[in-house]
Amino acid sequence: MSTSEHESDAEGNAPTRSLGELPPSSKLVYKVLEYEGQLTQEEIARESRLCARTVRYALGKLDDEGLVASRVCLDDARQSKYWIEK
């Protein structure tokens, strides 16, 4: 295996390895963000059909792993938008 193949494998598998160790709720939230793009916690809860508390927990786990990013929502400053960190 060449160095460039090894590097691309390492980059491509890094999020998968981190996801594999996370709870199922975190994996579901990650997939929802992957398919839908930027969403608020409320929107994630609606799309995933998870309760708000579970979504908060899942986002915390994803944030700890550096897999998601967030910023204040411009439409409503009380909420944040979340997306997958590339």
Side-chain angles (χ1 to χ4, degrees):
M1 179 186 289
S2 73
T3 305
S4 62
E5 288 173 344
H6 179 43
E7 288 174 4
S8 65
D9 270 356
E11 290 174 11
N13 291 336
T16 307
R17 275 192 302 243
S18 295
L19 273 179
E21 300 167 3
L22 293 174
S25 59
S26 296
K27 294 174 189 175
L28 177 58
V29 167
Y30 185 89
K31 283 298 182 185
V32 167
L33 289 171
E34 187 175 56
Y35 288 117
E36 300 295 329
Q38 292 187 9
L39 296 173
T40 64
Q41 282 188 23
E42 183 179 310
E43 292 166 336
I44 294 168
R46 186 175 35 238
E47 289 292 323
S48 66
R49 297 189 175 189
L50 294 171
C51 69
R53 181 178 177 183
T54 302
V55 170
R56 279 192 306 274
Y57 172 79
L59 285 169
K61 291 289 188 182
L62 290 168
D63 188 41
D64 290 346
E65 293 293 324
L67 296 172
V68 296
S70 66
R71 73 165 184 251
V72 173
C73 180
L74 298 177
D75 297 331
D76 184 354
R78 297 173 294 176
Q79 298 184 19
S80 293
K81 287 269 189 180
Y82 296 86
W83 66 91
I84 294 175
E85 187 75 287
K86 301 270 177 174

